[in-house]
Amino acid sequence: MTHEEHHAARTLGIGKAIAVLTSGGDAQGMNAAVRAVVRVGIFTGARVFFVHEGYQGLVDGGDHIREATWESVSMMLQLGGTVIGSARCKDFREREGRLRAAHNLVKLGITNLCVIGGDGSLTGADTFRSEWSDLLNDLQKAGKITAEEATKSSFLNIVGLVGSIDNDFCGTDMTIGTDSALHRIMEIVDAITTTAQSHQRTFVLEVMGRHCGYLALVTSLSCGADWVFIPECPPDDDWEEHLCRRLSETRTRGSRLNIIIVAEGAIDRHGKPITSESIKDLVVKRLGYDTRVTVLGHVQRGGTPSAFDRILGSRMGVEAVMALLEGTPDTPACVVSLSGNQAVRLPLMECVQVTKDVTKAMDEKKFDEALKLRGRSFMNNWEVYKLLAHVRPPVSKSGSFTVAVMNVGAPAAGMNAAVRSTVRIGLIQGNRVLVVHDGFEGLAKGQIEEAGWSYVGGWTGQGGSKLGTKRTLPKKSFEQISANITKFSIQGLVIIGGFEAYTGGLELMEGRKQFDELCIPFVVIPATVSNNVPGSDFSVGADTALNTICTTCDRIKQSAAGTKRRVFIIETMGGYCGYLATMAGLAAGADAAYIFEEPFTIRDLQANVDHLVQKMKTTVKRGLVLRNEKCNENYTTDFIFNLYSEEGKGIFDSRKNVLGHMQQGGSPTPFDRNFATKMGAKAMNWMSGKIKESYRNGRIFANTPDSGCVLGMRKRALVFQPVAELKEQTDFEHRIPKEQWWLKLRPILKILAKYEIDLDTSEHAHLEHISRKRSGEATV
């Protein structure tokens, strides 16, 4: 990228003005988006205005439309809701209201509008845009604006960001607020689980989602619910029988608790509502179980945004400013969204249309079509849920295979959820499933037992590793391992773990030359807080660690807000991988994040100190600096702390915090539970196919590179990649992949912290069409 292009980002907004508003229902993470729009807008040289109280503020004008400054969005990142307010607005629905709104914008010279809201808000924005030139004509005729003003504001650019906890907007993988709402729901489910188990109770939980079952569906996957009712997939007509049979089966298997999740818009095949009260009455009447109903309501919209939503909001805010400033009269109004981990721009009205098509399909009782329109990710969730909740495992094990499951490396939240779904999908397929304790060491020592259905009951919400995990590699115990593979007649191996799981896999491939017993298919599911396994953009456990760091940083920033003029230096885990430090820096609003992948010198440290000295002169008198544990062997956390303390004398004082092992602990986040559950199911399905493929003359013989794989999330798809092929992509000395996608987000971190750097806009998000997206690969 040339210097000229670099400079272009710094001058892209000169002479332009952007207004940002939040409309419709609030959602956690909207503030992160507003903050990013303001800061990146100012960075490009544009003027940025807050519109308070949504479209109502646009119509009322005056004090409702105020210019934003860099400092005015400080400390917003960790707040739920929307700081600039949102309101339902009748006036804007009328042309008269839109005329007043246009008048207010023209007078301030604003021709770029960033709307953060649900589909109703975005449709309103599109109407506004299509009428713009007519509105200007009317205003000019009425003498309210001059011809010159009309020319200057001749066209209106609109970019939408979808903020809605329901995740009901088609074309977008995740809407701002969905992940945080899942966090609130899971906190409650976990709390209810403990009381329900004390009393042998059935809980009916009603979650939001009038037209969309996403929250209900992912919740049921994340907590292993017995049943879920969602509007898109009404149950069969005899569902009452089926539900009661299912509940009593779970009880006879030894479970003390039943959980039924209901979306508020749940209906039966005939469009009649299924309410949480009616389900309770059914269970009490037919089964006599002690049954309680909990309606979650607005709790789901509240609280602090999750790390995911803050990063999503920030990234989408940056992309929105770029899309606005690059817009021309010919570009359609677009929605900025994330697909997999890539920013995409989609035509606003195409998305709105598909979203409306879903409602139409449901009204016409074409439920299969509604499900397809929701996209591949939704369908995947539904398929996995149906498998895990509705299928009875076969009684006979004839013609079955024996698959062993193990954890390797350091513990990571979500490992248990992966083991649970691997075991249960294996049993559903009629296989014999063994669990191995303590990783490869346990495999060598024969610490192996058979797992039944209830063995893994209630595992999704448990942190750490219930099977026990060790960093030991297999090479030195090949003889014992081979003996146990024969003794327990293991025909396939599912290895859930971090970098050691991957290197262990490579050793198994090597060992096949000497030991025939090792010629069995194996698959590695990446699970480590460091997110450093080659072949996957995400690892199970990293999201939980990120949220832990984030919560801690929030508390630390809060303590600094009280004392003023204080800088905190926080050390995160991750080995040599800077993922946690970078992402937590984005999510917590850090001033700098030191990582191994981006070498830094004493001059960089000095520049950061100078930056903080300048910052202390503003109204924001606190600093947050993150340091990855192995970013530099000489510039240790103590060294950086001492340097900052010395240089900041009389200006700010410094404190340091090493977060340590709390980052590996805790209950897994909804993202990690859901991701782990799907990875387990996908791995087991692959395994059954591979074992069949490798069956020769009464035994398993797998010796091809593609019989030893890593299952990874790549951009939008879950893919199996031979470990041997991933060797090229690995830096073994530092235990990281040679190329890491999240490094592209580092400039955003710096811009949002007010560094004079170049924003690399070479990674352009081009306008995509949603029909292509829907037939595209499955997402998580």
Side-chain angles (χ1 to χ4, degrees):
M1 183 160 187
T2 64
H3 181 71
E4 285 69 41
E5 276 180 286
H6 266 321
H7 194 62
R10 300 292 338 250
T11 54
L12 202 57
I14 290 174
K16 294 181 180 176
I18 299 170
V20 57
L21 65 92
T22 53
S23 168
D26 63 319
Q28 308 96 317
M30 279 183 167
N31 291 325
V34 170
R35 170 181 176 266
V37 170
V38 169
R39 290 197 168 171
V40 177
I42 292 172
F43 169 85
T44 62
R47 294 174 71 196
V48 188
F49 292 82
F50 289 135
V51 179
H52 291 270
E53 310 307 329
Y55 284 123
Q56 195 62 55
L58 208 55
V59 175
D60 295 345
D63 213 22
H64 286 97
I65 306 176
R66 274 177 273 179
E67 189 157 358
T69 63
W70 194 272
E71 281 106 44
S72 63
V73 291
S74 179
M75 285 304 265
M76 263 172 83
L77 200 52
Q78 58 268 49
L79 301 175
T82 164
V83 173
I84 56 175
S86 176
R88 307 273 175 204
C89 175
K90 283 207 182 85
D91 295 345
F92 194 75
R93 292 198 183 137
E94 307 299 325
R95 193 168 190 279
E96 184 50 42
R98 295 196 288 273
L99 204 58
R100 283 165 59 196
H103 179 240
N104 292 330
L105 289 178
V106 173
K107 284 295 179 199
L108 290 165
I110 300 169
T111 53
N112 296 289
L113 194 57
C114 174
V115 179
I116 307 168
D119 57 349
S121 313
L122 298 182
T123 312
D126 196 69
T127 311
F128 192 40
R129 182 183 172 167
S130 59
E131 290 179 346
W132 185 253
S133 52
D134 292 347
L135 294 171
L136 292 197
N137 283 338
D138 289 8
L139 288 169
Q140 203 182 327
K141 276 187 201 138
K144 294 198 171 161
I145 60 170
T146 65
E148 194 188 341
E149 284 173 326
T151 314
K152 225 171 124 188
S153 301
S154 61
F155 78 98
L156 179 70
N157 257 327
I158 285 186
V159 170
L161 271 69
V162 192
S164 148
I165 66 167
D166 291 339
N167 202 21
D168 57 356
F169 196 75
C170 292
T172 56
D173 276 0
M174 281 294 260
T175 58
I176 298 171
T178 306
D179 188 65
S180 302
L182 286 168
H183 274 252
R184 287 305 86 75
I185 297 169
M186 287 320 300
E187 283 159 19
I188 292 163
V189 172
D190 287 350
I192 280 176
T193 304
T194 49
T195 163
Q197 292 201 325
S198 315
H199 296 281
Q200 279 219 358
R201 280 202 175 127
T202 297
F203 267 90
V204 182
L205 232 80
E206 185 180 304
V207 300
M208 282 185 169
R210 222 162 314 152
H211 308 293
C212 179
Y214 185 87
L215 289 177
L217 181 52
V218 174
T219 300
S220 64
L221 271 179
S222 305
C223 72
D226 293 285
W227 199 284
V228 68
F229 291 96
I230 60 173
E232 291 88 343
C233 304
D236 295 328
D237 282 345
D238 61 344
W239 65 269
E240 292 91 345
E241 306 292 327
H242 194 155
L243 171 68
C244 291
R245 189 180 73 227
R246 167 105 200 115
L247 296 179
S248 53
E249 273 176 12
T250 316
R251 284 283 166 103
T252 47
R253 284 205 196 110
S255 169
R256 295 176 60 85
L257 119 116
N258 296 118
I259 295 183
I260 300 164
I261 309 281
V262 193
E264 59 181 339
I267 47 174
D268 65 15
R269 292 255 157 217
H270 312 287
K272 191 170 144 281
I274 296 177
T275 65
S276 38
E277 282 300 332
S278 65
I279 296 165
K280 173 192 164 175
D281 296 342
L282 171 79
V283 176
V284 171
K285 200 169 95 196
R286 296 222 189 157
L287 298 171
Y289 290 172
D290 182 357
T291 306
R292 304 291 157 99
V293 172
T294 304
V295 179
L296 297 191
H298 280 73
V299 167
Q300 297 161 82
R301 283 191 194 279
T304 312
S306 64
F308 183 95
D309 273 330
R310 297 181 199 195
I311 293 164
L312 179 67
S314 302
R315 289 183 66 184
M316 281 160 65
V318 174
E319 193 53 50
V321 172
M322 288 302 146
L324 280 172
L325 298 180
E326 289 165 7
T328 67
D330 307 324
T331 46
C334 73
V335 174
V336 173
S337 159
L338 220 55
S339 180
N341 56 29
Q342 289 184 299
V344 291
R345 298 177 191 176
L346 302 161
L348 174 67
M349 287 325 283
E350 276 187 33
C351 297
V352 169
Q353 191 49 54
V354 181
T355 307
K356 285 182 174 154
D357 290 347
V358 176
T359 317
K360 186 166 167 273
M362 279 159 60
D363 289 344
E364 293 171 2
K365 305 198 176 33
K366 295 180 182 161
F367 297 111
D368 290 349
E369 194 179 316
L371 192 60
K372 280 200 191 79
L373 289 167
R374 279 271 178 245
R376 287 284 288 269
S377 164
F378 195 95
M379 285 174 72
N380 276 2
N381 282 323
W382 181 248
E383 292 308 317
V384 174
Y385 157 73
K386 274 200 312 201
L387 265 180
L388 286 169
H390 285 242
V391 179
R392 293 161 147 189
V395 185
S396 83
K397 294 267 191 287
S398 61
S400 71
F401 304 116
T402 302
V403 181
V405 188
M406 61 201 285
N407 291 154
V408 174
M415 277 182 163
N416 297 325
V419 172
R420 171 185 173 270
S421 80
T422 307
V423 168
R424 289 199 168 171
I425 297 289
L427 294 171
I428 285 165
Q429 292 171 347
N431 295 328
R432 181 168 157 253
V433 185
L434 306 175
V435 289
V436 181
H437 298 278
D438 296 340
F440 286 117
E441 198 173 297
L443 190 58
K445 288 183 178 164
Q447 295 167 301
I448 300 167
E449 59 178 317
E450 189 166 340
W453 188 268
S454 48
Y455 183 91
V456 290
W459 278 29
T460 42
Q462 310 243 0
S465 160
K466 306 261 285 188
L467 292 182
T469 175
K470 286 236 163 87
R471 291 179 181 271
T472 324
L473 290 168
K475 202 172 188 170
K476 54 180 192 292
S477 350
F478 274 163
E479 287 190 4
Q480 298 96 303
I481 288 175
S482 299
N484 281 325
I485 286 177
T486 306
K487 181 179 168 189
F488 291 92
S489 52
I490 296 169
Q491 296 166 306
L493 205 50
V494 177
I495 309 166
I496 301 161
F499 201 81
E500 288 89 358
Y502 163 69
T503 41
L506 283 168
E507 286 188 5
L508 290 177
M509 286 307 266
E510 279 300 297
R512 284 177 174 182
K513 292 180 191 135
Q514 292 159 284
F515 296 92
D516 271 2
E517 294 86 345
L518 299 178
C519 296
I520 56 170
F522 68 84
V523 58
V524 175
I525 296 177
T528 161
V529 298
S530 308
N531 197 26
N532 62 336
V533 178
S536 192
D537 293 343
F538 296 105
S539 299
V540 172
D543 186 67
T544 305
L546 201 51
N547 277 286
T548 305
I549 299 169
C550 225
T551 315
T552 314
C553 288
D554 287 352
R555 289 184 184 163
I556 286 169
K557 272 172 81 174
Q558 209 168 24
S559 81
T563 46
K564 301 278 192 279
R565 301 187 192 281
R566 184 163 279 179
V567 174
F568 281 91
I569 293 128
I570 295 177
E571 182 186 301
T572 67
M573 275 180 142
Y576 285 100
C577 178
Y579 178 80
L580 288 178
T582 298
M583 294 312 236
L586 252 182
D591 293 282
Y594 300 121
I595 62 167
F596 166 75
E597 291 91 339
E598 199 175 274
F600 56 97
T601 64
I602 194 74
R603 281 183 294 285
D604 297 310
L605 292 172
Q606 184 60 50
N608 292 147
V609 172
D610 293 344
H611 184 86
L612 287 163
V613 168
Q614 291 308 312
K615 191 177 175 183
M616 296 299 157
K617 294 176 183 167
T618 69
T619 53
V620 187
K621 299 189 193 314
R622 68 187 170 269
L624 177 69
V625 174
L626 297 179
R627 178 189 173 276
N628 160 263
E629 57 183 356
K630 289 191 173 170
C631 63
N632 186 303
E633 57 181 328
N634 295 315
Y635 298 146
T636 59
T637 301
D638 285 339
F639 175 89
I640 293 175
F641 167 71
N642 292 334
L643 175 81
Y644 274 59
S645 301
E646 182 59 37
E647 296 290 320
K649 264 190 190 149
I651 303 160
F652 59 79
D653 53 343
S654 304
R655 295 283 187 276
K656 65 176 178 204
N657 238 342
V658 176
L659 299 186
H661 279 75
M662 63 186 259
Q663 295 162 83
Q664 282 181 352
S667 170
T669 56
F671 179 90
D672 278 333
R673 296 180 196 201
N674 186 20
F675 186 41
T677 300
K678 284 202 211 166
M679 293 283 263
K682 186 111 176 159
M684 200 44 141
N685 282 332
W686 175 88
M687 182 58 76
S688 292
K690 268 289 171 258
I691 293 176
K692 282 190 191 111
E693 234 174 78
S694 331
Y695 206 71
R696 303 218 175 38
N697 313 329
R699 56 169 294 218
I700 304 294
F701 189 76
N703 207 10
T704 52
D706 68 350
S707 59
C709 285
V710 168
L711 169 57
M713 168 79 180
R714 279 287 172 101
K715 290 185 177 157
R716 296 181 182 180
L718 288 177
V719 284
F720 291 91
Q721 304 141 101
V723 287
E725 280 175 24
L726 292 169
K727 247 165 127 169
E728 284 9 333
Q729 303 169 24
T730 311
D731 168 354
F732 285 99
E733 187 193 341
H734 300 105
R735 302 160 51 94
I736 50 174
K738 287 178 185 167
E739 277 190 21
Q740 305 187 81
W741 66 273
W742 50 265
L743 283 167
K744 294 195 191 89
L745 303 185
R746 301 251 328 150
I748 298 177
L749 177 81
K750 291 172 189 164
I751 287 165
L752 294 176
K754 208 173 184 175
Y755 279 89
E756 295 288 315
I757 73 137
D758 296 324
L759 175 60
D760 183 354
T761 52
S762 59
E763 271 288 309
H764 263 348
H766 294 293
L767 197 66
E768 290 200 5
H769 290 285
I770 174 180
S771 47
R772 247 192 41 222
K773 160 111 177 33
R774 219 173 317 125
S775 56
E777 270 302 328
T779 54
V780 164

